[in-house]
Amino acid sequence: MENYITLNAASQFTRIISMNAIITVVGSDKVGIIAEVSALLSSHKINISDITQSILSGNFVMMMMVSLDSSDVSIDEMRKILTDAGEKMGVEINVMSEKVFSSMHRI
């Protein structure tokens, strides 16, 4: 997570926190998974910063880094939206704060 300090018009410091999340999608490969997940993110003003995907023995595996800085929903609301969408698509979608993800995977 990145932190920025800005100086506002009243000469007071304001802290702006950049919120990033990791989204993983796993399930049987089929047409439209990336399109549907991307469309949902776009509809909530969530930018995809990085993406990787592959097919492993017929299983679709995708990991995305997204920015929620301009999002119109919280990370918890996005988690619910994507979990519900994943159930309809027959894939498992998980959403985790980048800070939590990085802490869990620190060596």
Side-chain angles (χ1 to χ4, degrees):
M1 183 182 300
E2 301 172 16
N3 292 323
Y4 299 94
I5 306 255
T6 60
L7 191 58
N8 68 17
S11 297
Q12 296 177 353
F13 287 102
T14 304
R15 189 174 193 196
I16 301 171
I17 300 175
S18 177
M19 177 64 173
N20 293 322
I22 304 289
I23 298 173
T24 59
V25 182
V26 178
S28 295
D29 186 32
K30 62 182 171 184
V31 173
I33 297 172
I34 296 173
E36 191 160 342
V37 172
S38 296
L40 272 171
L41 295 173
S42 177
S43 73
H44 291 287
K45 301 177 184 151
I46 297 173
N47 187 50
I48 300 169
S49 307
D50 200 0
I51 182 172
T52 182
Q53 70 95 78
S54 62
I55 309 300
L56 303 171
S57 300
N59 293 304
F60 178 86
V61 179
M62 177 170 66
M63 181 179 279
M64 302 172 125
M65 169 75 72
V66 299
S67 170
L68 290 107
D69 292 344
S70 300
S71 177
D72 60 9
V73 294
S74 71
I75 191 169
D76 291 330
E77 291 168 318
M78 182 49 48
R79 185 177 291 116
K80 171 86 171 101
I81 291 165
L82 288 172
T83 298
D84 292 347
E87 288 175 5
K88 291 176 187 169
M89 289 187 285
V91 297
E92 182 179 334
I93 302 178
N94 293 294
V95 180
M96 185 180 298
S97 161
E98 178 191 24
K99 186 175 182 178
V100 172
F101 181 85
S102 295
S103 295
M104 288 177 52
H105 294 89
R106 192 174 299 146
I107 297 177

